[in-house]
Amino acid sequence: MENTLGLEIIEVVEQAAIASAHLMGKGDKNEADRVAVEAMRERMNKIYMRGRIVIGEGERDDAPMLYIGEEVGICSQPNAKDFCNPDELVEIDIAVDPCEGTNLCAYGQPGSMAVLAISEKGGLFAAPDFYMKKLAAPPAAKGKVDISKSATENLKILAECLDRSIDELVVVVMKRDRHNDLIKEIREAGARVQLISDGDVGAAINCGFAGTNIHALMGIGAAPEGVISAAALRCLGAHFQGQLIYDPAIVQTGLIGESKEANIARLNEMGITDPDKIYTAEELASGENVLFAGTGITPGNIMNGVRFFKGGARTQTLVISSQSKTARFVDTIHMHEQPKVVQLR
Ligand code: VTB
């Protein structure tokens, strides 16, 4: 992936985060999402690239912007031939979640982010709008923990890999009824549980870094966001596995189709013949070059949220690249007006 593209992608997530942050704490999650989508799309369409949304705001008929299949970037515009050379352009697939954790943003809670992942064409799994059972863990446990094992077994393995006792582990789980048994099991195994109301992408990424005091993410969240988490964790060499969940009785919340049978039929139509397949991070984000970018909207464990000052804002963004093998924290001061002073605080 071109370096300049990497730089522009940072601005895409920054702009989405700033837009959402204006609505932080206002109690309107749809509006917080809408403005982020608009800002993300506007900035993306100024990039010299041929991009295609593979994970976005939904099917074309349901989403006016950043819908699945939407072409983005200067070189996707109808008059692109006038200023883009198709021979020198790599086609890019993009997975976006302009406001991950919309509730967190709307209620001023920590952990919401504007995130995206990009890869060359075909490099990101176009996950259906279902749920996904997820297991994220630090690099030391990669390939050792296994989503098909019980939480108890995985905690034993994790403790060994991280050279600590089970009660020194913290597992993030989303507070949902569907996780009641899982939470009980983790506690009985001796580990500690950090319950979150929303935002499992941030939680997954925390597993990729030492020092966050988060050692695993377990439980069921949305599938599309699972791919974005997988992209980040793949670049970090951390563990991520995902398994699609298509049975409404397991999920218990959210919109997930009429019935298990209808959902399996839909998956088959999409070419997913083994609906129970367990995907690794490398399968969900299989591209040769994968890049993750996320800007904090509200503060998180490893990144600050957007802070406004007179005439501007300051953002923090994490960019992880498989190509350059870097995890880069980008701290940006946005000067919307000519400032009298630029403060560093
Ligand atoms: C959300 C959201 C998560 O999964 O809860 C969602 O906060 C799905 O779960 O970050 P519910 O339908 O039960 O709310 C995520 O979007 C991402 O996986």
PDB file of all heavy atoms in Angstrom, residues 1 52-55 92-96 116-127 224 226-232 234-235 281-292:
ATOM      1  N   MET A   1       0.850  -1.189   0.000  1.00  0.00           N
ATOM      2  CA  MET A   1       0.000   0.000   0.000  1.00  0.00           C
ATOM      3  C   MET A   1       0.891   1.246   0.000  1.00  0.00           C
ATOM      4  O   MET A   1       1.871   1.304   0.713  1.00  0.00           O
ATOM      5  CB  MET A   1      -0.862  -0.003   1.254  1.00  0.00           C
ATOM      6  CG  MET A   1      -2.245   0.495   1.015  1.00  0.00           C
ATOM      7  SD  MET A   1      -3.318  -0.769   0.312  1.00  0.00           S
ATOM      8  CE  MET A   1      -3.272  -2.010   1.573  1.00  0.00           C
ATOM      9  N   ARG A  52     -13.397   0.114  -2.710  1.00  0.00           N
ATOM     10  CA  ARG A  52     -14.720  -0.493  -2.701  1.00  0.00           C
ATOM     11  C   ARG A  52     -15.027  -0.869  -1.257  1.00  0.00           C
ATOM     12  O   ARG A  52     -14.188  -1.471  -0.582  1.00  0.00           O
ATOM     13  CB  ARG A  52     -14.700  -1.736  -3.592  1.00  0.00           C
ATOM     14  CG  ARG A  52     -16.043  -2.446  -3.721  1.00  0.00           C
ATOM     15  CD  ARG A  52     -15.882  -3.636  -4.655  1.00  0.00           C
ATOM     16  NE  ARG A  52     -14.911  -4.590  -4.105  1.00  0.00           N
ATOM     17  CZ  ARG A  52     -15.174  -5.898  -3.924  1.00  0.00           C
ATOM     18  NH1 ARG A  52     -16.330  -6.399  -4.273  1.00  0.00           N
ATOM     19  NH2 ARG A  52     -14.253  -6.711  -3.418  1.00  0.00           N
ATOM     20  N   ILE A  53     -16.218  -0.498  -0.796  1.00  0.00           N
ATOM     21  CA  ILE A  53     -16.601  -0.830   0.574  1.00  0.00           C
ATOM     22  C   ILE A  53     -17.041  -2.302   0.619  1.00  0.00           C
ATOM     23  O   ILE A  53     -17.967  -2.698  -0.093  1.00  0.00           O
ATOM     24  CB  ILE A  53     -17.773   0.080   1.047  1.00  0.00           C
ATOM     25  CG1 ILE A  53     -17.384   1.561   0.956  1.00  0.00           C
ATOM     26  CG2 ILE A  53     -18.224  -0.300   2.452  1.00  0.00           C
ATOM     27  CD1 ILE A  53     -16.264   2.002   1.870  1.00  0.00           C
ATOM     28  N   VAL A  54     -16.370  -3.094   1.424  1.00  0.00           N
ATOM     29  CA  VAL A  54     -16.781  -4.498   1.563  1.00  0.00           C
ATOM     30  C   VAL A  54     -17.515  -4.724   2.891  1.00  0.00           C
ATOM     31  O   VAL A  54     -18.292  -5.665   3.016  1.00  0.00           O
ATOM     32  CB  VAL A  54     -15.606  -5.495   1.422  1.00  0.00           C
ATOM     33  CG1 VAL A  54     -15.130  -5.548  -0.011  1.00  0.00           C
ATOM     34  CG2 VAL A  54     -14.452  -5.166   2.355  1.00  0.00           C
ATOM     35  N   ILE A  55     -17.218  -3.877   3.856  1.00  0.00           N
ATOM     36  CA  ILE A  55     -17.977  -3.896   5.110  1.00  0.00           C
ATOM     37  C   ILE A  55     -18.312  -2.450   5.396  1.00  0.00           C
ATOM     38  O   ILE A  55     -17.426  -1.591   5.442  1.00  0.00           O
ATOM     39  CB  ILE A  55     -17.140  -4.509   6.254  1.00  0.00           C
ATOM     40  CG1 ILE A  55     -17.068  -6.026   6.064  1.00  0.00           C
ATOM     41  CG2 ILE A  55     -17.716  -4.142   7.616  1.00  0.00           C
ATOM     42  CD1 ILE A  55     -16.253  -6.759   7.082  1.00  0.00           C
ATOM     43  N   ILE A  92      -8.644  -1.370  -4.084  1.00  0.00           N
ATOM     44  CA  ILE A  92      -8.565  -1.540  -2.635  1.00  0.00           C
ATOM     45  C   ILE A  92      -9.921  -1.893  -2.040  1.00  0.00           C
ATOM     46  O   ILE A  92     -10.946  -1.307  -2.412  1.00  0.00           O
ATOM     47  CB  ILE A  92      -8.046  -0.222  -2.027  1.00  0.00           C
ATOM     48  CG1 ILE A  92      -6.565  -0.093  -2.326  1.00  0.00           C
ATOM     49  CG2 ILE A  92      -8.248  -0.168  -0.524  1.00  0.00           C
ATOM     50  CD1 ILE A  92      -6.065   1.277  -2.129  1.00  0.00           C
ATOM     51  N   ASP A  93      -9.927  -2.848  -1.125  1.00  0.00           N
ATOM     52  CA  ASP A  93     -11.146  -3.167  -0.379  1.00  0.00           C
ATOM     53  C   ASP A  93     -11.084  -2.500   0.988  1.00  0.00           C
ATOM     54  O   ASP A  93     -10.018  -2.465   1.617  1.00  0.00           O
ATOM     55  CB  ASP A  93     -11.284  -4.685  -0.206  1.00  0.00           C
ATOM     56  CG  ASP A  93     -11.844  -5.348  -1.461  1.00  0.00           C
ATOM     57  OD1 ASP A  93     -12.183  -4.612  -2.424  1.00  0.00           O
ATOM     58  OD2 ASP A  93     -11.943  -6.586  -1.491  1.00  0.00           O
ATOM     59  N   ILE A  94     -12.237  -2.001   1.416  1.00  0.00           N
ATOM     60  CA  ILE A  94     -12.265  -1.222   2.666  1.00  0.00           C
ATOM     61  C   ILE A  94     -13.398  -1.714   3.564  1.00  0.00           C
ATOM     62  O   ILE A  94     -14.529  -1.902   3.115  1.00  0.00           O
ATOM     63  CB  ILE A  94     -12.481   0.284   2.351  1.00  0.00           C
ATOM     64  CG1 ILE A  94     -11.480   0.758   1.285  1.00  0.00           C
ATOM     65  CG2 ILE A  94     -12.371   1.134   3.617  1.00  0.00           C
ATOM     66  CD1 ILE A  94     -11.735   2.145   0.758  1.00  0.00           C
ATOM     67  N   ALA A  95     -13.064  -1.913   4.828  1.00  0.00           N
ATOM     68  CA  ALA A  95     -14.085  -2.249   5.838  1.00  0.00           C
ATOM     69  C   ALA A  95     -14.155  -1.075   6.799  1.00  0.00           C
ATOM     70  O   ALA A  95     -13.118  -0.658   7.325  1.00  0.00           O
ATOM     71  CB  ALA A  95     -13.669  -3.520   6.584  1.00  0.00           C
ATOM     72  N   VAL A  96     -15.346  -0.550   7.007  1.00  0.00           N
ATOM     73  CA  VAL A  96     -15.440   0.641   7.873  1.00  0.00           C
ATOM     74  C   VAL A  96     -16.449   0.457   9.000  1.00  0.00           C
ATOM     75  O   VAL A  96     -17.446  -0.258   8.868  1.00  0.00           O
ATOM     76  CB  VAL A  96     -15.865   1.905   7.073  1.00  0.00           C
ATOM     77  CG1 VAL A  96     -14.891   2.197   5.959  1.00  0.00           C
ATOM     78  CG2 VAL A  96     -17.280   1.807   6.530  1.00  0.00           C
ATOM     79  N   LEU A 116     -11.329   1.634  10.576  1.00  0.00           N
ATOM     80  CA  LEU A 116     -11.433   1.014   9.262  1.00  0.00           C
ATOM     81  C   LEU A 116     -10.253   0.079   9.041  1.00  0.00           C
ATOM     82  O   LEU A 116      -9.241   0.152   9.746  1.00  0.00           O
ATOM     83  CB  LEU A 116     -11.512   2.053   8.139  1.00  0.00           C
ATOM     84  CG  LEU A 116     -10.415   3.093   7.946  1.00  0.00           C
ATOM     85  CD1 LEU A 116      -9.160   2.470   7.362  1.00  0.00           C
ATOM     86  CD2 LEU A 116     -10.904   4.151   6.964  1.00  0.00           C
ATOM     87  N   ALA A 117     -10.419  -0.788   8.076  1.00  0.00           N
ATOM     88  CA  ALA A 117      -9.304  -1.647   7.659  1.00  0.00           C
ATOM     89  C   ALA A 117      -9.286  -1.632   6.145  1.00  0.00           C
ATOM     90  O   ALA A 117     -10.354  -1.571   5.505  1.00  0.00           O
ATOM     91  CB  ALA A 117      -9.515  -3.068   8.170  1.00  0.00           C
ATOM     92  N   ILE A 118      -8.093  -1.640   5.563  1.00  0.00           N
ATOM     93  CA  ILE A 118      -8.008  -1.709   4.098  1.00  0.00           C
ATOM     94  C   ILE A 118      -7.025  -2.800   3.675  1.00  0.00           C
ATOM     95  O   ILE A 118      -6.141  -3.183   4.428  1.00  0.00           O
ATOM     96  CB  ILE A 118      -7.613  -0.358   3.440  1.00  0.00           C
ATOM     97  CG1 ILE A 118      -6.231   0.086   3.894  1.00  0.00           C
ATOM     98  CG2 ILE A 118      -8.626   0.703   3.720  1.00  0.00           C
ATOM     99  CD1 ILE A 118      -5.781   1.367   3.203  1.00  0.00           C
ATOM    100  N   SER A 119      -7.245  -3.250   2.474  1.00  0.00           N
ATOM    101  CA  SER A 119      -6.352  -4.263   1.914  1.00  0.00           C
ATOM    102  C   SER A 119      -6.491  -4.217   0.401  1.00  0.00           C
ATOM    103  O   SER A 119      -7.409  -3.574  -0.116  1.00  0.00           O
ATOM    104  CB  SER A 119      -6.772  -5.640   2.430  1.00  0.00           C
ATOM    105  OG  SER A 119      -5.923  -6.624   1.893  1.00  0.00           O
ATOM    106  N   GLU A 120      -5.606  -4.908  -0.292  1.00  0.00           N
ATOM    107  CA  GLU A 120      -5.817  -4.993  -1.735  1.00  0.00           C
ATOM    108  C   GLU A 120      -7.078  -5.831  -1.975  1.00  0.00           C
ATOM    109  O   GLU A 120      -7.521  -6.555  -1.079  1.00  0.00           O
ATOM    110  CB  GLU A 120      -4.585  -5.593  -2.452  1.00  0.00           C
ATOM    111  CG  GLU A 120      -4.338  -7.059  -2.243  1.00  0.00           C
ATOM    112  CD  GLU A 120      -3.573  -7.372  -0.955  1.00  0.00           C
ATOM    113  OE1 GLU A 120      -3.207  -6.444  -0.211  1.00  0.00           O
ATOM    114  OE2 GLU A 120      -3.381  -8.568  -0.677  1.00  0.00           O
ATOM    115  N   LYS A 121      -7.634  -5.729  -3.191  1.00  0.00           N
ATOM    116  CA  LYS A 121      -8.915  -6.372  -3.514  1.00  0.00           C
ATOM    117  C   LYS A 121      -8.946  -7.839  -3.076  1.00  0.00           C
ATOM    118  O   LYS A 121      -8.001  -8.591  -3.340  1.00  0.00           O
ATOM    119  CB  LYS A 121      -9.157  -6.278  -5.025  1.00  0.00           C
ATOM    120  CG  LYS A 121     -10.567  -6.577  -5.416  1.00  0.00           C
ATOM    121  CD  LYS A 121     -10.762  -6.371  -6.902  1.00  0.00           C
ATOM    122  CE  LYS A 121     -12.182  -6.731  -7.272  1.00  0.00           C
ATOM    123  NZ  LYS A 121     -12.432  -6.558  -8.684  1.00  0.00           N
ATOM    124  N   GLY A 122     -10.011  -8.207  -2.396  1.00  0.00           N
ATOM    125  CA  GLY A 122     -10.174  -9.606  -1.987  1.00  0.00           C
ATOM    126  C   GLY A 122      -9.484  -9.952  -0.674  1.00  0.00           C
ATOM    127  O   GLY A 122      -9.567 -11.085  -0.214  1.00  0.00           O
ATOM    128  N   GLY A 123      -8.834  -8.967  -0.050  1.00  0.00           N
ATOM    129  CA  GLY A 123      -8.039  -9.246   1.144  1.00  0.00           C
ATOM    130  C   GLY A 123      -8.779  -9.158   2.466  1.00  0.00           C
ATOM    131  O   GLY A 123      -8.178  -9.356   3.519  1.00  0.00           O
ATOM    132  N   LEU A 124     -10.089  -8.840   2.406  1.00  0.00           N
ATOM    133  CA  LEU A 124     -10.869  -8.778   3.658  1.00  0.00           C
ATOM    134  C   LEU A 124     -12.136  -9.608   3.481  1.00  0.00           C
ATOM    135  O   LEU A 124     -12.812  -9.502   2.452  1.00  0.00           O
ATOM    136  CB  LEU A 124     -11.258  -7.325   3.985  1.00  0.00           C
ATOM    137  CG  LEU A 124     -10.108  -6.357   4.274  1.00  0.00           C
ATOM    138  CD1 LEU A 124     -10.617  -4.910   4.293  1.00  0.00           C
ATOM    139  CD2 LEU A 124      -9.434  -6.685   5.607  1.00  0.00           C
ATOM    140  N   PHE A 125     -12.457 -10.410   4.463  1.00  0.00           N
ATOM    141  CA  PHE A 125     -13.646 -11.272   4.386  1.00  0.00           C
ATOM    142  C   PHE A 125     -14.905 -10.394   4.445  1.00  0.00           C
ATOM    143  O   PHE A 125     -15.087  -9.623   5.397  1.00  0.00           O
ATOM    144  CB  PHE A 125     -13.620 -12.261   5.555  1.00  0.00           C
ATOM    145  CG  PHE A 125     -14.809 -13.166   5.636  1.00  0.00           C
ATOM    146  CD1 PHE A 125     -15.103 -14.066   4.619  1.00  0.00           C
ATOM    147  CD2 PHE A 125     -15.631 -13.142   6.757  1.00  0.00           C
ATOM    148  CE1 PHE A 125     -16.202 -14.918   4.711  1.00  0.00           C
ATOM    149  CE2 PHE A 125     -16.738 -13.997   6.862  1.00  0.00           C
ATOM    150  CZ  PHE A 125     -17.023 -14.878   5.834  1.00  0.00           C
ATOM    151  N   ALA A 126     -15.748 -10.523   3.429  1.00  0.00           N
ATOM    152  CA  ALA A 126     -16.977  -9.715   3.399  1.00  0.00           C
ATOM    153  C   ALA A 126     -18.011 -10.366   4.317  1.00  0.00           C
ATOM    154  O   ALA A 126     -18.903 -11.080   3.865  1.00  0.00           O
ATOM    155  CB  ALA A 126     -17.484  -9.619   1.967  1.00  0.00           C
ATOM    156  N   ALA A 127     -17.862 -10.137   5.599  1.00  0.00           N
ATOM    157  CA  ALA A 127     -18.711 -10.822   6.587  1.00  0.00           C
ATOM    158  C   ALA A 127     -20.167 -10.405   6.444  1.00  0.00           C
ATOM    159  O   ALA A 127     -20.465  -9.231   6.242  1.00  0.00           O
ATOM    160  CB  ALA A 127     -18.230 -10.495   7.990  1.00  0.00           C
ATOM    161  N   PRO A 224     -19.296  -8.134  11.179  1.00  0.00           N
ATOM    162  CA  PRO A 224     -18.481  -7.213  10.367  1.00  0.00           C
ATOM    163  C   PRO A 224     -17.334  -6.587  11.176  1.00  0.00           C
ATOM    164  O   PRO A 224     -16.201  -6.523  10.706  1.00  0.00           O
ATOM    165  CB  PRO A 224     -19.488  -6.153   9.914  1.00  0.00           C
ATOM    166  CG  PRO A 224     -20.816  -6.860   9.950  1.00  0.00           C
ATOM    167  CD  PRO A 224     -20.732  -7.795  11.119  1.00  0.00           C
ATOM    168  N   GLY A 226     -15.928  -7.893  13.572  1.00  0.00           N
ATOM    169  CA  GLY A 226     -14.956  -8.959  13.838  1.00  0.00           C
ATOM    170  C   GLY A 226     -13.831  -8.934  12.811  1.00  0.00           C
ATOM    171  O   GLY A 226     -12.671  -9.198  13.131  1.00  0.00           O
ATOM    172  N   VAL A 227     -14.190  -8.602  11.570  1.00  0.00           N
ATOM    173  CA  VAL A 227     -13.178  -8.557  10.507  1.00  0.00           C
ATOM    174  C   VAL A 227     -12.210  -7.392  10.743  1.00  0.00           C
ATOM    175  O   VAL A 227     -10.993  -7.519  10.551  1.00  0.00           O
ATOM    176  CB  VAL A 227     -13.862  -8.436   9.121  1.00  0.00           C
ATOM    177  CG1 VAL A 227     -12.838  -8.280   8.012  1.00  0.00           C
ATOM    178  CG2 VAL A 227     -14.756  -9.649   8.877  1.00  0.00           C
ATOM    179  N   ILE A 228     -12.756  -6.276  11.205  1.00  0.00           N
ATOM    180  CA  ILE A 228     -11.896  -5.108  11.473  1.00  0.00           C
ATOM    181  C   ILE A 228     -10.947  -5.424  12.641  1.00  0.00           C
ATOM    182  O   ILE A 228      -9.754  -5.122  12.591  1.00  0.00           O
ATOM    183  CB  ILE A 228     -12.757  -3.846  11.739  1.00  0.00           C
ATOM    184  CG1 ILE A 228     -13.609  -3.545  10.487  1.00  0.00           C
ATOM    185  CG2 ILE A 228     -11.880  -2.652  12.102  1.00  0.00           C
ATOM    186  CD1 ILE A 228     -14.531  -2.344  10.606  1.00  0.00           C
ATOM    187  N   SER A 229     -11.475  -6.078  13.670  1.00  0.00           N
ATOM    188  CA  SER A 229     -10.617  -6.489  14.803  1.00  0.00           C
ATOM    189  C   SER A 229      -9.545  -7.453  14.311  1.00  0.00           C
ATOM    190  O   SER A 229      -8.377  -7.361  14.698  1.00  0.00           O
ATOM    191  CB  SER A 229     -11.443  -7.202  15.881  1.00  0.00           C
ATOM    192  OG  SER A 229     -12.462  -6.373  16.364  1.00  0.00           O
ATOM    193  N   ALA A 230      -9.962  -8.402  13.462  1.00  0.00           N
ATOM    194  CA  ALA A 230      -9.026  -9.404  12.948  1.00  0.00           C
ATOM    195  C   ALA A 230      -7.896  -8.736  12.168  1.00  0.00           C
ATOM    196  O   ALA A 230      -6.733  -9.145  12.269  1.00  0.00           O
ATOM    197  CB  ALA A 230      -9.760 -10.406  12.055  1.00  0.00           C
ATOM    198  N   ALA A 231      -8.243  -7.701  11.399  1.00  0.00           N
ATOM    199  CA  ALA A 231      -7.226  -7.004  10.608  1.00  0.00           C
ATOM    200  C   ALA A 231      -6.165  -6.407  11.540  1.00  0.00           C
ATOM    201  O   ALA A 231      -4.961  -6.555  11.312  1.00  0.00           O
ATOM    202  CB  ALA A 231      -7.880  -5.912   9.763  1.00  0.00           C
ATOM    203  N   ALA A 232      -6.633  -5.761  12.608  1.00  0.00           N
ATOM    204  CA  ALA A 232      -5.686  -5.137  13.545  1.00  0.00           C
ATOM    205  C   ALA A 232      -4.834  -6.203  14.225  1.00  0.00           C
ATOM    206  O   ALA A 232      -3.606  -6.088  14.296  1.00  0.00           O
ATOM    207  CB  ALA A 232      -6.452  -4.319  14.592  1.00  0.00           C
ATOM    208  N   ARG A 234      -4.210  -9.265  13.324  1.00  0.00           N
ATOM    209  CA  ARG A 234      -3.302  -9.966  12.403  1.00  0.00           C
ATOM    210  C   ARG A 234      -2.011  -9.168  12.248  1.00  0.00           C
ATOM    211  O   ARG A 234      -0.909  -9.718  12.305  1.00  0.00           O
ATOM    212  CB  ARG A 234      -3.960 -10.141  11.037  1.00  0.00           C
ATOM    213  CG  ARG A 234      -3.071 -10.929  10.101  1.00  0.00           C
ATOM    214  CD  ARG A 234      -3.303 -10.660   8.644  1.00  0.00           C
ATOM    215  NE  ARG A 234      -2.029 -10.444   7.990  1.00  0.00           N
ATOM    216  CZ  ARG A 234      -1.899 -10.248   6.707  1.00  0.00           C
ATOM    217  NH1 ARG A 234      -2.961 -10.219   5.921  1.00  0.00           N
ATOM    218  NH2 ARG A 234      -0.714 -10.041   6.192  1.00  0.00           N
ATOM    219  N   CYS A 235      -2.151  -7.855  12.064  1.00  0.00           N
ATOM    220  CA  CYS A 235      -0.962  -7.016  11.889  1.00  0.00           C
ATOM    221  C   CYS A 235      -0.107  -7.009  13.152  1.00  0.00           C
ATOM    222  O   CYS A 235       1.107  -6.819  13.085  1.00  0.00           O
ATOM    223  CB  CYS A 235      -1.351  -5.588  11.547  1.00  0.00           C
ATOM    224  SG  CYS A 235      -2.254  -5.424  10.008  1.00  0.00           S
ATOM    225  N   ALA A 281      -7.543 -14.986  12.165  1.00  0.00           N
ATOM    226  CA  ALA A 281      -7.297 -13.590  11.773  1.00  0.00           C
ATOM    227  C   ALA A 281      -6.778 -13.537  10.342  1.00  0.00           C
ATOM    228  O   ALA A 281      -7.164 -12.661   9.557  1.00  0.00           O
ATOM    229  CB  ALA A 281      -6.284 -12.965  12.726  1.00  0.00           C
ATOM    230  N   GLU A 282      -5.936 -14.511   9.994  1.00  0.00           N
ATOM    231  CA  GLU A 282      -5.314 -14.523   8.657  1.00  0.00           C
ATOM    232  C   GLU A 282      -6.329 -14.840   7.568  1.00  0.00           C
ATOM    233  O   GLU A 282      -6.129 -14.476   6.408  1.00  0.00           O
ATOM    234  CB  GLU A 282      -4.166 -15.544   8.608  1.00  0.00           C
ATOM    235  CG  GLU A 282      -2.922 -15.152   9.390  1.00  0.00           C
ATOM    236  CD  GLU A 282      -3.121 -15.103  10.906  1.00  0.00           C
ATOM    237  OE1 GLU A 282      -4.046 -15.766  11.424  1.00  0.00           O
ATOM    238  OE2 GLU A 282      -2.365 -14.380  11.569  1.00  0.00           O
ATOM    239  N   GLU A 283      -7.413 -15.522   7.929  1.00  0.00           N
ATOM    240  CA  GLU A 283      -8.459 -15.796   6.934  1.00  0.00           C
ATOM    241  C   GLU A 283      -9.422 -14.610   6.818  1.00  0.00           C
ATOM    242  O   GLU A 283      -9.937 -14.322   5.740  1.00  0.00           O
ATOM    243  CB  GLU A 283      -9.233 -17.057   7.322  1.00  0.00           C
ATOM    244  CG  GLU A 283      -8.426 -18.322   7.066  1.00  0.00           C
ATOM    245  CD  GLU A 283      -9.050 -19.554   7.686  1.00  0.00           C
ATOM    246  OE1 GLU A 283      -9.570 -19.473   8.824  1.00  0.00           O
ATOM    247  OE2 GLU A 283      -8.987 -20.616   7.048  1.00  0.00           O
ATOM    248  N   LEU A 284      -9.670 -13.942   7.921  1.00  0.00           N
ATOM    249  CA  LEU A 284     -10.601 -12.810   7.887  1.00  0.00           C
ATOM    250  C   LEU A 284      -9.946 -11.591   7.236  1.00  0.00           C
ATOM    251  O   LEU A 284     -10.611 -10.782   6.599  1.00  0.00           O
ATOM    252  CB  LEU A 284     -11.064 -12.470   9.302  1.00  0.00           C
ATOM    253  CG  LEU A 284     -11.895 -13.563   9.989  1.00  0.00           C
ATOM    254  CD1 LEU A 284     -12.113 -13.233  11.458  1.00  0.00           C
ATOM    255  CD2 LEU A 284     -13.238 -13.763   9.302  1.00  0.00           C
ATOM    256  N   ALA A 285      -8.645 -11.469   7.440  1.00  0.00           N
ATOM    257  CA  ALA A 285      -7.893 -10.367   6.820  1.00  0.00           C
ATOM    258  C   ALA A 285      -6.707 -11.006   6.111  1.00  0.00           C
ATOM    259  O   ALA A 285      -5.599 -11.026   6.617  1.00  0.00           O
ATOM    260  CB  ALA A 285      -7.431  -9.385   7.891  1.00  0.00           C
ATOM    261  N   SER A 286      -6.981 -11.561   4.931  1.00  0.00           N
ATOM    262  CA  SER A 286      -6.006 -12.419   4.264  1.00  0.00           C
ATOM    263  C   SER A 286      -5.076 -11.669   3.316  1.00  0.00           C
ATOM    264  O   SER A 286      -4.138 -12.246   2.780  1.00  0.00           O
ATOM    265  CB  SER A 286      -6.743 -13.504   3.478  1.00  0.00           C
ATOM    266  OG  SER A 286      -7.555 -12.880   2.504  1.00  0.00           O
ATOM    267  N   GLY A 287      -5.334 -10.399   3.096  1.00  0.00           N
ATOM    268  CA  GLY A 287      -4.566  -9.644   2.096  1.00  0.00           C
ATOM    269  C   GLY A 287      -3.077  -9.625   2.401  1.00  0.00           C
ATOM    270  O   GLY A 287      -2.664  -9.757   3.549  1.00  0.00           O
ATOM    271  N   GLU A 288      -2.297  -9.423   1.328  1.00  0.00           N
ATOM    272  CA  GLU A 288      -0.851  -9.356   1.538  1.00  0.00           C
ATOM    273  C   GLU A 288      -0.527  -8.107   2.349  1.00  0.00           C
ATOM    274  O   GLU A 288       0.286  -8.131   3.260  1.00  0.00           O
ATOM    275  CB  GLU A 288      -0.187  -9.304   0.162  1.00  0.00           C
ATOM    276  CG  GLU A 288       1.261  -9.695   0.213  1.00  0.00           C
ATOM    277  CD  GLU A 288       1.914  -9.512  -1.144  1.00  0.00           C
ATOM    278  OE1 GLU A 288       1.253  -9.787  -2.168  1.00  0.00           O
ATOM    279  OE2 GLU A 288       3.077  -9.082  -1.154  1.00  0.00           O
ATOM    280  N   ASN A 289      -1.212  -7.018   1.982  1.00  0.00           N
ATOM    281  CA  ASN A 289      -1.015  -5.776   2.719  1.00  0.00           C
ATOM    282  C   ASN A 289      -2.318  -5.398   3.404  1.00  0.00           C
ATOM    283  O   ASN A 289      -3.323  -5.131   2.754  1.00  0.00           O
ATOM    284  CB  ASN A 289      -0.616  -4.649   1.778  1.00  0.00           C
ATOM    285  CG  ASN A 289       0.716  -4.932   1.144  1.00  0.00           C
ATOM    286  OD1 ASN A 289       1.666  -5.308   1.835  1.00  0.00           O
ATOM    287  ND2 ASN A 289       0.786  -4.800  -0.170  1.00  0.00           N
ATOM    288  N   VAL A 290      -2.275  -5.382   4.711  1.00  0.00           N
ATOM    289  CA  VAL A 290      -3.471  -5.023   5.485  1.00  0.00           C
ATOM    290  C   VAL A 290      -3.106  -3.837   6.367  1.00  0.00           C
ATOM    291  O   VAL A 290      -2.010  -3.787   6.927  1.00  0.00           O
ATOM    292  CB  VAL A 290      -3.936  -6.220   6.350  1.00  0.00           C
ATOM    293  CG1 VAL A 290      -5.057  -5.813   7.288  1.00  0.00           C
ATOM    294  CG2 VAL A 290      -4.383  -7.370   5.468  1.00  0.00           C
ATOM    295  N   LEU A 291      -4.026  -2.892   6.428  1.00  0.00           N
ATOM    296  CA  LEU A 291      -3.783  -1.723   7.264  1.00  0.00           C
ATOM    297  C   LEU A 291      -5.022  -1.445   8.103  1.00  0.00           C
ATOM    298  O   LEU A 291      -6.135  -1.472   7.600  1.00  0.00           O
ATOM    299  CB  LEU A 291      -3.482  -0.522   6.360  1.00  0.00           C
ATOM    300  CG  LEU A 291      -3.019   0.743   7.052  1.00  0.00           C
ATOM    301  CD1 LEU A 291      -1.745   1.247   6.397  1.00  0.00           C
ATOM    302  CD2 LEU A 291      -4.077   1.822   6.971  1.00  0.00           C
ATOM    303  N   PHE A 292      -4.809  -1.211   9.383  1.00  0.00           N
ATOM    304  CA  PHE A 292      -5.898  -0.847  10.283  1.00  0.00           C
ATOM    305  C   PHE A 292      -5.663   0.586  10.731  1.00  0.00           C
ATOM    306  O   PHE A 292      -4.529   0.977  11.001  1.00  0.00           O
ATOM    307  CB  PHE A 292      -5.917  -1.770  11.514  1.00  0.00           C
ATOM    308  CG  PHE A 292      -6.755  -1.220  12.642  1.00  0.00           C
ATOM    309  CD1 PHE A 292      -8.106  -1.535  12.729  1.00  0.00           C
ATOM    310  CD2 PHE A 292      -6.200  -0.363  13.592  1.00  0.00           C
ATOM    311  CE1 PHE A 292      -8.887  -0.995  13.760  1.00  0.00           C
ATOM    312  CE2 PHE A 292      -6.977   0.181  14.617  1.00  0.00           C
ATOM    313  CZ  PHE A 292      -8.321  -0.146  14.700  1.00  0.00           C
TER     314      PHE A 292
END
